[in-house]
């Protein structure tokens, strides 16, 4: 059974920071690229960040580039998303996902998804 469990979400004021975690089990973690997506009310799920299997390559949506850092610890089967300088428009449910695809910027390239963690940024 593949399991992805996100944590670290919460309510923060604009300008604050959060670190999201995603613990993965049921697969060989180091053989999968990992991504973070988010979905705000009334909007489609959108790409936020991705990281290659070894962690050597990272990718970010323009909307978060410079404010977010994705990282992974393959020894802990965990991927992280450090979010700084948060804005109200960052409010969304954040999901992590695994990928076997070479294309990491679209949700179609991902295989398994977590249940999400809520991030709310107040003005």
């Amino acid at each position: 059974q593949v399991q992805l469990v996100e944590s670290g979400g919460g309510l923060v004021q604009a300008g604050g920071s959060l670190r999201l975690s995603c613990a993965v089990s049921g697969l060989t973690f180091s053989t999968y690229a990992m991504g973070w997506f988010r979905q705000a009310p009334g909007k489609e799920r959108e790409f936020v960040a991705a990281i290659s299997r070894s962690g050597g390559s990272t990718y970010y949506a323009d909307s978060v580039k410079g404010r977010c850092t994705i990282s992974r610890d393959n020894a802990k089967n965990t991927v992280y998303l450090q979010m700084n300088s948060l804005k109200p428009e960052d409010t969304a449910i954040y999901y992590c996902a695994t990928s076997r695809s070479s294309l990491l910027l679209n949700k179609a390239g991902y295989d398994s998804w977590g249940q999400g963690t809520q991030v709310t940024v107040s003005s």
Side-chain angles (χ1 to χ4, degrees):
Q1 296 279 6
V2 177
Q3 298 284 335
L4 292 80
V5 181
E6 300 96 335
S7 61
L11 174 64
V12 297
Q13 293 185 346
S17 298
L18 285 173
R19 190 178 79 154
L20 308 183
S21 299
C22 176
V24 181
S25 62
L27 51 76
T28 304
F29 180 72
S30 61
T31 66
Y32 289 81
M34 296 294 301
W36 286 96
F37 289 75
R38 66 187 182 187
Q39 188 165 19
K43 299 183 69 176
E44 294 295 310
R45 192 169 300 188
E46 66 177 5
F47 170 78
V48 177
I51 188 166
S52 62
R53 293 162 178 79
S54 67
S57 299
T58 57
Y59 311 89
Y60 299 94
D62 289 343
S63 59
V64 303
K65 190 173 184 179
R67 301 188 296 119
C68 294
T69 302
I70 188 171
S71 61
R72 66 190 296 161
D73 187 341
N74 285 353
K76 296 181 178 179
N77 285 12
T78 301
V79 63
Y80 305 94
L81 183 67
Q82 177 69 44
M83 302 190 294
N84 302 320
S85 301
L86 285 164
K87 306 174 181 179
E89 50 262 46
D90 295 318
T91 295
I93 301 175
Y94 283 71
Y95 301 88
C96 65
T98 66
S99 178
R100 299 178 296 173
S101 174
S102 61
L103 181 62
L104 302 178
L105 307 185
N106 188 284
K107 59 182 180 292
Y110 291 80
D111 309 300
S112 299
W113 296 81
Q115 292 299 118
T117 185
Q118 177 71 49
V119 171
T120 303
V121 184
S122 63
S123 300

